[in-house]
Amino acid sequence: MARRFVDLHSLGGRVWGVKVLDQKMLDPKTDDLSDRFVGRTVQGTARHGKNLFIDLGTGYIHIHLGMSGSLHFLKGQEERTGHERLRITLDRGALVLDDPRRFGRFGHVRDVPGFVAEKGLGPDALSITDDEFVARIGNRRGAIKPLLLDQGILAGVGNLYADEVLFQEKVHPRAIANELSARKLVKLRGRIGSVLNTSISVGTDFSRLPSGYLLRQREVGGPCPVCVDVLISAQVGGRTSVLCPSCQMSPSHDH
DNA sequence: GAGTATGTTATATG
DNA sequence: GCATATAACATACT
């Protein structure tokens, strides 16, 4: 989605300035983005998992939104957002990364495959094949949800989307991966694709998701979107899961 | 003030 | 290597 946003506003645009407003979020630190990219044209964008890459011909600007990052396109020079951390000034306005919590990261990367290898990222969640997915997940003895969130296994699934995928497949987040059938794993892989693509298609506006989606109202104590039960939360792998106790049977009660 | 939050990384333990 | 737990990062909100 962030990628589409950048495409929409920036493609073909010339870079007039790159202003780093938070050095802590700059990674790697050694690059002067301005020297490197001013005068260049946005050739395209790429993505791997949660990482966005803006192609400037001689290299990329990498952006990771972290927990609270968001991209904005400001047409007026005087326009500001509340927590501006990076400003890329282009012909038609400025692409701005706003991030109150500053968990996001940005910086220069030479090439995308190199970045993926360096960070040890797994295959992209929208590109991974059934076979790859089963091979990477199916022999693990841990709970399924932390594996879905492990960017080294597959890249691109976050906490909320993991909850959605598991909810739709009626799998408990603590279900043991190698106790799931290969067929179930294949269905999970497919569901990851459909959930991510559906979310992209509504511009990640969860209120526009189809009925039956957990993310429309992921609220503990709220109604399950498909049955009469009430949503609960559980700590799994150090993260909060929201799930329906009726739809997603606990692994101890599952055969 | 306490608790929680869409993510990643480091550290420790078994 | 694998699995799990905890803390840290920095800030906003309830």
XYZ file of all heavy atoms in Angstrom, chain C residues 2-14:
263
model
P 17.313 -24.097 13.297
O 16.643 -24.832 12.208
O 17.545 -22.648 13.215
O 16.535 -24.380 14.661
C 16.179 -25.704 15.008
C 15.465 -25.684 16.332
O 16.402 -25.317 17.369
C 14.308 -24.665 16.407
O 13.144 -25.351 16.788
C 14.769 -23.660 17.463
C 15.733 -24.499 18.301
N 16.763 -23.733 19.057
C 16.825 -23.864 20.440
O 16.006 -24.600 21.006
N 17.779 -23.186 21.130
C 18.648 -22.412 20.476
N 19.570 -21.775 21.205
C 18.610 -22.272 19.061
C 17.663 -22.946 18.383
P 11.741 -24.659 16.594
O 10.769 -25.732 16.295
O 11.867 -23.492 15.709
O 11.463 -24.135 18.071
C 11.294 -25.072 19.113
C 11.177 -24.325 20.416
O 12.465 -23.814 20.792
C 10.228 -23.123 20.372
O 9.195 -23.325 21.323
C 11.113 -21.915 20.692
C 12.284 -22.579 21.435
N 13.535 -21.823 21.335
C 14.143 -21.355 20.201
N 15.270 -20.725 20.427
C 15.409 -20.774 21.802
C 16.389 -20.279 22.676
N 17.466 -19.612 22.278
N 16.218 -20.508 24.001
C 15.141 -21.183 24.409
N 14.146 -21.694 23.679
C 14.352 -21.451 22.370
P 8.030 -22.280 21.477
O 6.830 -23.033 21.882
O 8.030 -21.387 20.299
O 8.487 -21.394 22.730
C 8.801 -22.034 23.952
C 9.419 -21.023 24.876
O 10.717 -20.658 24.368
C 8.621 -19.727 24.981
O 8.020 -19.652 26.249
C 9.655 -18.618 24.750
C 10.977 -19.349 24.811
N 12.039 -18.776 23.943
C 13.190 -18.319 24.531
O 13.372 -18.353 25.723
N 14.121 -17.815 23.663
C 14.018 -17.726 22.289
O 14.924 -17.259 21.622
C 12.778 -18.225 21.734
C 12.561 -18.177 20.259
C 11.860 -18.708 22.576
P 7.100 -18.421 26.655
O 6.175 -18.915 27.701
O 6.601 -17.774 25.434
O 8.141 -17.427 27.342
C 8.971 -17.890 28.390
C 9.856 -16.749 28.852
O 10.932 -16.567 27.897
C 9.134 -15.401 28.961
O 9.387 -14.856 30.242
C 9.730 -14.551 27.835
C 11.096 -15.189 27.638
N 11.614 -15.051 26.271
C 11.000 -15.411 25.101
N 11.724 -15.187 24.030
C 12.898 -14.645 24.524
C 14.071 -14.188 23.895
N 14.263 -14.206 22.580
N 15.053 -13.703 24.689
C 14.856 -13.679 26.006
N 13.799 -14.077 26.714
C 12.847 -14.555 25.903
P 8.617 -13.573 30.726
O 8.389 -13.730 32.170
O 7.499 -13.302 29.793
O 9.702 -12.427 30.528
C 10.996 -12.597 31.106
C 11.906 -11.500 30.588
O 12.288 -11.788 29.226
C 11.238 -10.118 30.573
O 11.867 -9.294 31.534
C 11.457 -9.609 29.138
C 12.481 -10.562 28.573
N 12.341 -10.820 27.104
C 13.424 -10.567 26.296
O 14.482 -10.146 26.718
N 13.214 -10.836 24.966
C 12.056 -11.313 24.384
O 12.008 -11.511 23.179
C 10.959 -11.544 25.291
C 9.665 -12.053 24.761
C 11.155 -11.286 26.590
P 11.341 -7.798 31.753
O 11.523 -7.488 33.182
O 10.025 -7.634 31.112
O 12.414 -6.968 30.911
C 13.783 -7.314 31.032
C 14.582 -6.519 30.033
O 14.411 -7.081 28.706
C 14.180 -5.050 29.938
O 15.358 -4.275 30.015
C 13.509 -4.922 28.568
C 14.159 -6.044 27.777
N 13.324 -6.603 26.715
C 12.059 -7.102 26.828
N 11.567 -7.568 25.697
C 12.591 -7.362 24.783
C 12.705 -7.639 23.405
N 11.743 -8.203 22.688
N 13.859 -7.291 22.799
C 14.830 -6.717 23.537
N 14.842 -6.414 24.825
C 13.680 -6.768 25.400
P 15.229 -2.708 30.372
O 16.339 -2.377 31.292
O 13.837 -2.382 30.719
O 15.542 -2.055 28.951
C 16.736 -2.436 28.269
C 16.639 -2.011 26.841
O 15.767 -2.918 26.132
C 16.039 -0.614 26.647
O 17.061 0.286 26.240
C 14.996 -0.791 25.543
C 15.189 -2.208 25.056
N 13.952 -2.881 24.692
C 12.866 -3.120 25.482
N 11.885 -3.757 24.867
C 12.373 -3.938 23.585
C 11.822 -4.546 22.441
N 10.612 -5.083 22.404
N 12.570 -4.558 21.316
C 13.792 -3.995 21.351
N 14.418 -3.409 22.372
C 13.640 -3.409 23.463
P 16.835 1.824 26.415
O 18.147 2.450 26.556
O 15.757 2.067 27.389
O 16.247 2.243 24.983
C 17.036 2.035 23.822
C 16.157 2.105 22.612
O 15.268 0.982 22.596
C 15.233 3.325 22.590
O 15.828 4.345 21.794
C 13.944 2.813 21.957
C 14.172 1.322 21.778
N 12.999 0.494 22.167
C 12.485 -0.408 21.235
O 13.024 -0.498 20.146
N 11.397 -1.153 21.573
C 10.852 -1.032 22.776
N 9.801 -1.782 23.056
C 11.380 -0.118 23.748
C 12.438 0.619 23.400
P 15.726 5.850 22.298
O 16.590 6.642 21.424
O 15.883 5.882 23.762
O 14.196 6.199 21.981
C 13.818 6.343 20.618
C 12.389 6.836 20.602
O 11.501 5.759 20.966
C 12.114 7.977 21.571
O 11.456 8.992 20.853
C 11.237 7.363 22.654
C 10.562 6.222 21.924
N 10.219 5.055 22.734
C 10.924 4.486 23.744
N 10.360 3.412 24.249
C 9.202 3.273 23.500
C 8.164 2.320 23.526
N 8.111 1.295 24.363
N 7.152 2.475 22.641
C 7.207 3.503 21.787
N 8.124 4.451 21.665
C 9.102 4.276 22.553
P 11.082 10.338 21.565
O 11.344 11.398 20.581
O 11.620 10.420 22.944
O 9.510 10.161 21.665
C 8.778 9.987 20.461
C 7.382 9.525 20.767
O 7.397 8.262 21.448
C 6.576 10.458 21.674
O 5.672 11.142 20.819
C 5.878 9.518 22.657
C 6.142 8.144 22.100
N 6.234 7.029 23.078
C 5.353 5.996 22.966
O 4.487 5.951 22.107
N 5.489 4.997 23.899
C 6.433 4.957 24.911
O 6.464 4.003 25.676
C 7.353 6.079 24.974
C 8.399 6.113 26.022
C 7.208 7.055 24.064
P 4.609 12.173 21.372
O 4.421 13.195 20.326
O 4.939 12.550 22.757
O 3.296 11.265 21.400
C 2.909 10.592 20.215
C 1.652 9.786 20.471
O 1.966 8.636 21.294
C 0.567 10.576 21.196
O -0.657 10.354 20.518
C 0.544 9.973 22.604
C 1.041 8.557 22.369
N 1.745 7.958 23.493
C 2.768 8.497 24.235
N 3.228 7.707 25.170
C 2.463 6.550 25.021
C 2.473 5.309 25.720
N 3.297 5.043 26.721
N 1.593 4.379 25.321
C 0.767 4.659 24.303
N 0.682 5.773 23.584
C 1.569 6.687 23.997
P -1.952 11.237 20.854
O -2.584 11.550 19.565
O -1.575 12.322 21.806
O -2.866 10.209 21.621
C -3.140 8.920 21.047
C -3.606 7.994 22.126
O -2.512 7.660 23.003
C -4.679 8.610 23.038
O -5.893 7.900 22.871
C -4.120 8.444 24.458
C -3.057 7.382 24.268
N -1.964 7.442 25.273
C -1.707 6.300 26.046
O -2.389 5.283 25.850
N -0.716 6.327 26.966
C -0.005 7.448 27.133
N 0.958 7.416 28.051
C -0.252 8.622 26.353
C -1.233 8.571 25.447
P -7.251 8.488 23.494
O -8.229 8.481 22.408
O -6.958 9.717 24.258
O -7.629 7.348 24.549
C -7.364 5.981 24.269
C -7.475 5.167 25.551
O -6.225 5.244 26.282
C -8.567 5.648 26.496
O -9.241 4.517 27.013
C -7.806 6.373 27.590
C -6.512 5.582 27.638
N -5.341 6.311 28.176
C -4.518 5.635 29.044
O -4.721 4.506 29.411
N -3.446 6.376 29.487
C -3.109 7.665 29.124
O -2.119 8.191 29.585
C -4.012 8.294 28.208
C -3.755 9.695 27.772
C -5.084 7.596 27.786
